[in-house]
């Protein structure tokens, strides 16, 4: 089977409509600690570089929070920090957390691990990471992780729902907006059998890789298997996504025309060709009609679906996304 996809755009070229900074900052100082720094409440690092001494990085060996640079209690936040290479797990969020302008100069196993419970949301706002041989962020808990205006370079995946955790399950929801990702893989990997979703908007990945879909398992019951890639309209949703990565370049085309040509060749050398053309208009707002299921989208810029939740309430996450939560 040969598949050729051609995109014709009306209006401006698609660009990243965000403020992701792609230049790693210079650290203002150095701090090395023998144990993880536990944060409850708010912590502002003043752009100092933090490392563990002795170094706790053991590559992709599972080391858990004992090797972390920071452990953040439920509701805590970290801002303005540079995390150096001499640490194993970066940041461990025991519950919901907010990470603002945090930079990982060299990811060891994971940059951050999120363990919040269902109904809670963790936020990554700004910052960046590089050198993650596997994933940047590990999502082990439940609820939602929102990543906005983040930069990833030389990485495996930006975020992955745990494939084989003990007591694994879901749903886990990922919101990605204004992310710039270069020299790596997909922005998110999710387990569709657990009800996970990933919503990507105003972002770029320089090879056009958006989502990977997996079947997740409980630890000890085999391995998680990849079952598909790309947006599918039920678990992975993509809006204003491009391979042209330029920080803050903007551009919101109002109409996208997609022409897809599929060619099938049988063993009898007969060829069947079909062409399908569709036009999609960027929605401008919620319609207010109908209801949204639990954990579904109920608002945000560019959303034109219903805004009333069948269960729970519609809670604001960011300007692009609101969600029905318990």
């Amino acid at each position: 089977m040969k598949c050729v996809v051609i995109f014709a755009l009306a209006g401006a070229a698609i660009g990243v409509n965000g403020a992701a900074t792609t230049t790693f900052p210079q650290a203002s100082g150095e701090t090395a600690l023998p144990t993880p720094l536990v944060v409850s409440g708010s912590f502002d690092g003043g752009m100092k570089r933090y490392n563990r001494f002795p170094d706790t990085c053991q590559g992709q060996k599972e080391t858990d929070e004992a090797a972390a640079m920071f452990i953040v209690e439920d509701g805590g936040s970290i801002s303005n920090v540079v995390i150096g290479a001499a640490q194993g797990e970066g940041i461990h969020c025991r519950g919901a957390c907010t990470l603002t302008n945090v930079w990982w100069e060299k990811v060891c196993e994971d940059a951050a691990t999120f363990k919040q419970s269902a109904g809670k949301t963790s936020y990554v706002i700004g910052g960046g990471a590089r050198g993650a041989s596997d994933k940047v962020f590990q999502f082990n808990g439940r609820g939602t992780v929102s990543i906005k205006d983040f930069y990833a370079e030389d990485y495996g995946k930006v975020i992955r729902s745990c494939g084989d955790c003990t007591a694994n399950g879901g749903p886990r929801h990922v919101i990605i907006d204004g992310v710039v990702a270069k020299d790596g893989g997909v922005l998110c990997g999710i387990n569709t059998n657990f009800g996970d979703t990933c919503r990507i908007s105003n972002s770029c990945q320089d090879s056009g890789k958006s989502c990977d879909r997996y079947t997740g398992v409980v630890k000890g019951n085999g391995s998680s298997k990849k079952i598909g890639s790309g947006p599918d309209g039920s678990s992975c949703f993509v809006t204003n996504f491009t391979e042209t990565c330029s920080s803050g370049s903007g551009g919101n085309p109002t109409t996208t025309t997609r022409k897809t040509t599929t060619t099938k060749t049988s063993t009898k050398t007969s060829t069947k060709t079909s062409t399908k053309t569709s036009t999609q208009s960027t929605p401008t707002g919620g319609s207010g009609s109908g209801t949204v299921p639990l954990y579904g989208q109920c608002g945000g810029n560019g959303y034109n679906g219903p805004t009333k939740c069948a269960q729970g309430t519609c809670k604001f996450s960011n300007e692009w996304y609101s969600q029905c939560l318990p």
Side-chain angles (χ1 to χ4, degrees), residues 278-296:
S278 63
T279 299
Q280 299 173 334
S281 296
T282 303
T284 57
S287 67
S289 60
T291 59
V292 181
L294 192 63
Y295 300 111

Side-chain angles (χ1 to χ4, degrees), residues 32-255:
L33 300 174
T35 58
L37 181 60
V38 179
V39 175
S40 58
S42 299
F43 176 83
D44 188 327
M47 296 311 296
K48 289 184 179 179
R49 178 182 292 110
Y50 284 79
N51 278 301
R52 290 287 301 275
F53 183 81
D55 187 353
T56 57
C57 179
Q58 298 183 49
Q60 286 302 301
K61 181 179 179 181
E62 189 69 42
T63 51
D64 206 24
E65 68 176 29
M69 187 66 252
F70 294 93
I71 296 173
V72 185
E73 301 289 3
D74 188 26
S77 65
I78 292 180
S79 60
N80 304 319
V81 165
V82 177
I83 297 179
Q87 43 71 39
E89 292 262 344
I91 298 174
H92 261 241
C93 292
R94 289 174 170 170
C97 66
T98 300
L99 311 179
T100 305
N101 197 34
V102 177
W103 295 84
W104 290 263
E105 293 181 321
K106 176 67 172 69
V107 176
C108 183
E109 185 182 357
D110 307 310
T113 300
F114 301 99
K115 295 184 174 181
Q116 78 265 10
S117 57
K120 293 189 175 184
T121 301
S122 288
Y123 298 91
V124 178
I125 304 168
R130 61 189 174 198
S133 61
D134 189 8
K135 67 274 183 194
V136 177
F137 299 122
Q138 175 75 29
F139 192 178
N140 289 351
R142 304 292 191 271
T144 302
V145 173
S146 172
I147 306 170
K148 184 173 178 61
D149 298 339
F150 185 80
Y151 176 59
E153 175 184 299
D154 182 24
Y155 66 96
K157 299 177 181 67
V158 171
I159 186 168
R160 171 73 164 102
S161 292
C162 184
D164 60 353
C165 285
T166 301
N168 205 9
R172 301 178 177 107
H173 304 288
V174 177
I175 303 166
I176 293 175
D177 180 63
V179 168
V180 176
K182 299 179 180 180
D183 301 325
V186 294
L187 300 189
C188 62
I190 55 175
N191 304 315
T192 58
N193 60 315
F194 293 149
D196 294 359
T197 61
C198 178
R199 297 179 183 271
I200 300 170
S201 59
N202 308 303
S203 297
C204 80
Q205 200 287 328
D206 61 359
S207 297
K209 300 171 183 175
S210 56
C211 308
D212 279 346
R213 304 186 301 277
Y214 294 84
T215 297
V217 299
V218 175
K219 190 171 184 177
N221 293 338
S223 58
S224 178
K225 295 182 179 180
K226 182 178 173 180
I227 57 175
S229 295
D232 62 352
S234 60
S235 56
C236 177
F237 305 87
V238 174
T239 304
N240 200 17
F241 177 72
T242 179
E243 296 181 21
T244 304
C245 295
S246 55
S247 175
S249 63
N252 280 310
T254 57
T255 304

